[in-house]
Amino acid sequence: MRKRGGVRRERERDCKESKKQRDDGRHSQVRTMDAEKQWASEGEATSWMHVDKQRIGKWFSLMLYFLLGLSSWLLVNGAFLELPILFMVSPEGYAIASYIVLAVQVGNIFPVLYVYAFPQVEVTIAIGVNLLVTELAAVLLIFFWDAVAFDHSVGLIVLSAVAGGVGSMSMVTLFSFASRASSQHMTAAAAGVSFNGLLGSVIALIQQPGKSTQRFGATTFFGILAAFILLSVFAFAVILYRTRTTTVKALGLGNDSIDSAGGGQYVAGSSEEEARTIVSATMSSSSDGEESGSVGAYERVPDTDVGMAGQLADETDGEEDLPREVMLTIYGQYAHIALINALKFCILGMYAYSVACYGNGSTLVLWMNIIGLLCDSCGRTFGPSLPHVPTSWFMIVLQSATWGYLMIMVFLGARTPLPGPWGGWVLVFLYGAYNSFFGYDFTIIFVEAPKISRHKAERVCQQLGLWNQAGACVGSIVSFLLVKYVPVFQTFDTSC
């Protein structure tokens, strides 16, 4: 009996211990599940915070490139927006527009020297110097925009040449620099280039130049432009700072050893390959907000399918070794951008004559500038987001048709077939339509052409900038010669 009772007690004790273990296991499982839920919720919150940080970083990076492009043609556009004042005070009268256009093209010597005489200069150094010269030209315009010597507006013409030089340099350096990041950054830079016209237009609307209600003069106008150019200088400084900081993190080095690893060389002037490597780290972990596991995780245009031509181009090492069909496509884009800029700058020095014979000619010239710059900005900004890209031939025909009609109106003058007060406004909006076509086509070329050869994107952008300025130079010379020597402009009477 005693033995049986002992066995029974042992069994009861074992059952109690087993039950206790099961209860402890269930409690432990519940605690584990609660902990997992807590960790999951914390992880989800962290994930959302990381996504928000990515978005903020990406938008901030795009805004910096937008501001960097803001100063490129701001002074040149500003000079044209002040034409209602310049027509009245300059010795050249209505012909001052053609003088400004020609002076702007004299500045083309700057990008030519940079590309062919000083190719070893790092693009970041070129952009920095360009921005400083732009700011200096803006300050000088404040004091010398109305300086006259030898019966010509020497101050305005000389500083317009400097403004054209820095604008031309921006076409060679800005898109080449932005192509190291992504097509989105190139689009942001192009939007900044186009927005400077819109910015100047808003200031001119507030100013009301040439009217009895004019609020301030050209001196104040150029002072405001100088203040906005400082924003571009600040944006570029921040880009360089972010580049260096992110390179330190990506390479896992301290500030003292970053120069030996190549990070400092990017800021001071490195080879293109080293610069690409460091910028790739910047855009992977800083601009796009993503942590890159490798500094070399660089992809020039990651979001684009360039087709067979692009694949063939990627397999070659030099531009001269590209397949024939790829070379023809690239040179076709060079000729395309040269042609549309030749048309653009030809009419730029003459469009004021098309509305000069209307009673409110000064007002129409102002609105021609404003509507033209606004439509150009819209074409550059919203064009790349359109689902369908028209063919190059279609865009050339479209621009040539509107350009041809405007040129006919320029030569007809008082004999215009559009009489009455509404006729001038028809020409204003037609000029706006032409500029929207140009702005769209210009941006599409700079965004799409580098995708033909991904590994040569910087080189293609650089050459596009040169061909762009070559076409603009030809158009400006033609415009100046027409205004200077064609009799219809020599005997032009604005009171017609």
Side-chain angles (χ1 to χ4, degrees):
M1 294 292 295
R2 187 176 303 173
K3 290 182 178 180
R4 290 180 181 178
V7 171
R8 189 183 306 112
R9 285 193 294 273
E10 289 179 359
R11 289 178 177 176
E12 291 176 354
R13 186 170 57 252
D14 292 342
C15 289
K16 290 180 180 179
E17 290 179 356
S18 299
K19 182 178 180 182
K20 182 178 180 182
Q21 291 177 357
R22 288 195 300 271
D23 292 340
D24 291 343
R26 282 195 295 268
H27 291 311
S28 176
Q29 185 177 7
V30 170
R31 287 194 298 270
T32 301
M33 292 176 63
D34 292 339
E36 289 177 351
K37 291 180 180 179
Q38 183 179 359
W39 294 337
S41 61
E42 292 177 355
E44 184 177 358
T46 304
S47 175
W48 278 107
M49 291 175 62
H50 183 60
V51 171
D52 290 340
K53 186 177 180 180
Q54 286 181 347
R55 293 175 179 173
I56 294 173
K58 180 177 181 179
W59 282 106
F60 181 65
S61 176
L62 294 176
M63 180 57 67
L64 289 176
Y65 279 82
F66 173 85
L67 292 175
L68 182 59
L70 188 64
S71 66
S72 55
W73 294 103
L74 189 59
L75 292 180
V76 174
N77 288 328
F80 281 100
L81 286 167
E82 294 299 282
L83 282 179
I85 295 177
L86 299 176
F87 288 156
M88 295 185 294
V89 302
S90 65
E92 297 83 359
Y94 268 72
I96 187 62
S98 63
Y99 279 88
I100 294 175
V101 169
L102 185 63
V104 166
Q105 299 313 311
V106 172
N108 281 328
I109 189 65
F110 296 158
V112 171
L113 290 175
Y114 167 68
V115 173
Y116 294 107
F118 304 99
Q120 72 277 7
V121 178
E122 207 338 89
V123 67
T124 52
I125 296 178
I127 292 177
V129 173
N130 202 49
L131 288 172
L132 294 178
V133 174
T134 306
E135 181 63 29
L136 177 61
V139 173
L140 292 176
L141 273 171
I142 296 174
F143 301 100
F144 300 107
W145 68 270
D146 56 349
V148 176
F150 308 106
D151 201 28
H152 284 289
S153 305
V154 174
L156 179 66
I157 293 173
V158 171
L159 291 174
S160 294
V162 177
V166 295
S168 302
M169 277 293 293
S170 68
M171 293 296 97
V172 176
T173 57
L174 176 61
F175 292 104
S176 176
F177 179 69
S179 69
R180 295 175 172 182
S182 70
S183 59
Q184 288 183 328
H185 289 80
M186 291 183 68
T187 303
V193 171
S194 62
F195 187 80
N196 61 55
L198 178 60
L199 174 63
S201 299
V202 172
I203 300 173
L205 276 176
I206 298 173
Q207 179 195 17
Q208 296 292 308
K211 293 186 176 183
S212 57
T213 57
Q214 180 175 304
R215 294 182 174 87
F216 50 86
T219 299
T220 304
F221 178 84
F222 288 117
I224 296 173
L225 297 189
F228 277 103
I229 291 172
L230 284 177
L231 284 178
S232 295
V233 178
F234 171 77
F236 185 62
V238 174
I239 290 174
L240 292 185
Y241 174 78
R242 284 163 59 88
T243 299
R244 184 179 178 87
T245 302
T246 309
T247 304
V248 172
K249 295 179 181 179
L251 295 177
L253 300 172
N255 289 329
D256 296 334
S257 58
I258 185 63
D259 290 331
S260 62
Q265 294 179 4
Y266 170 74
V267 179
S270 67
S271 66
E272 287 191 6
E273 195 59 33
E274 291 170 334
R276 290 194 190 104
T277 302
I278 294 169
V279 173
S280 67
T282 305
M283 298 309 167
S284 298
S285 59
S286 177
S287 298
D288 294 336
E290 299 173 359
E291 292 298 327
S292 169
S294 171
V295 177
Y298 175 79
E299 185 175 0
R300 179 149 335 251
V301 188
D303 54 349
T304 305
D305 181 11
V306 297
M308 183 60 67
Q311 294 174 9
L312 291 173
D314 291 341
E315 295 172 359
T316 60
D317 294 327
E319 186 174 339
E320 65 277 1
D321 299 326
L322 294 176
R324 179 180 176 82
E325 59 270 24
V326 178
M327 290 294 297
L328 290 176
T329 303
I330 292 176
Y331 280 105
Q333 295 296 328
Y334 293 163
H336 184 176
I337 200 166
L339 175 61
I340 64 174
N341 272 277
L343 299 179
K344 167 78 170 180
F345 277 80
C346 181
I347 192 121
L348 194 59
M350 307 172 67
Y351 68 88
Y353 288 98
S354 65
V355 295
C357 286
Y358 293 92
N360 53 348
S362 179
T363 300
L364 292 175
V365 169
L366 173 63
W367 279 103
M368 250 183 155
N369 276 304
I370 293 175
I371 297 297
L373 292 172
L374 176 61
C375 291
D376 182 277
S377 300
C378 291
R380 294 174 188 250
T381 305
F382 302 110
S385 62
L386 295 179
H388 177 68
V389 178
T391 63
S392 297
W393 286 110
F394 177 80
M395 294 305 302
I396 290 174
V397 170
L398 195 61
Q399 292 174 76
S400 299
T402 52
W403 177 88
Y405 186 82
L406 287 169
M407 287 297 292
I408 292 173
M409 296 299 103
V410 167
F411 280 93
L412 288 179
R415 298 168 293 171
T416 175
L418 299 174
W422 57 270
W425 289 104
V426 171
L427 294 176
V428 168
F429 287 102
L430 184 63
Y431 184 71
Y434 167 75
N435 277 274
S436 66
F437 301 149
F438 172 84
Y440 168 79
D441 199 18
F442 178 89
T443 305
I444 289 297
I445 293 173
F446 266 98
V447 171
E448 296 294 328
K451 299 175 184 177
I452 300 173
S453 177
R454 293 183 179 183
H455 297 299
K456 292 294 179 182
E458 284 189 44
R459 177 66 176 173
V460 171
C461 285
Q462 193 178 72
Q463 291 297 316
L464 280 173
L466 287 177
W467 282 82
N468 170 79
Q469 295 310 124
C473 184
V474 171
S476 301
I477 293 174
V478 171
S479 173
F480 178 80
L481 293 177
L482 289 174
V483 172
K484 189 72 174 177
Y485 297 107
V486 173
V488 67
F489 299 108
Q490 298 300 310
T491 58
F492 193 86
D493 183 8
T494 57
S495 63
C496 50

